[in-house]
Amino acid sequence: MQRIVERHQIEGQDERQRVFNRLVDILRVEKGYTAIFHYEGLTFETESARTVEETIRSLILKLHKAGCSNLRTRLNFRGPRYLAEREPWANYSDSALHEAGRT
């Protein structure tokens, strides 16, 4: 029953301070939502969460733990509908990096 329900744009810096800009797929699964993000041959996938917002926060935490920083996201597609970059950016604090001792 997995199907992509939203796509979010994510920007940030990887552990080498290289800037990236990619899409994150948000899938509807049996118990809620999950996110799948591909970068540099790596795949980050979240556990299922009740809401899209919880799913995005879970992905951000995984990326912080992998050394990514300066992360922000915005909704770009809801189903097949392109939202023409009208949605606002959500910025995420790098505090998780500091707590993990990565900076």
Side-chain angles (χ1 to χ4, degrees), residues 1 4 9 16 23 29 31 47-48 57-58 65 71 75-76 78 83 86 100 103:
M1 172 186 151
I4 297 174
Q9 183 176 354
R16 295 182 186 162
L23 290 176
V29 295
K31 295 183 179 183
E47 299 293 324
S48 63
R57 281 194 304 269
S58 178
K65 287 181 179 179
L71 297 171
L75 176 64
N76 270 12
R78 181 167 282 131
L83 301 174
R86 290 179 292 217
T103 59

Side-chain angles (χ1 to χ4, degrees), residues 30-82:
E30 186 176 323
K31 295 183 179 183
Y33 301 91
T34 188
I36 299 177
F37 174 66
H38 302 283
Y39 179 70
E40 294 287 314
L42 300 172
T43 299
F44 296 88
E45 186 169 355
T46 65
E47 299 293 324
S48 63
R50 293 178 305 143
T51 67
V52 171
E53 292 78 19
E54 289 175 11
T55 302
I56 294 288
R57 281 194 304 269
S58 178
L59 176 64
I60 294 298
L61 184 59
K62 283 182 177 259
L63 293 173
H64 275 152
K65 287 181 179 179
C68 296
S69 61
N70 299 315
L71 297 171
R72 66 183 192 157
T73 64
R74 75 170 162 200
L75 176 64
N76 270 12
F77 290 89
R78 181 167 282 131
R81 189 171 145 228
Y82 178 54

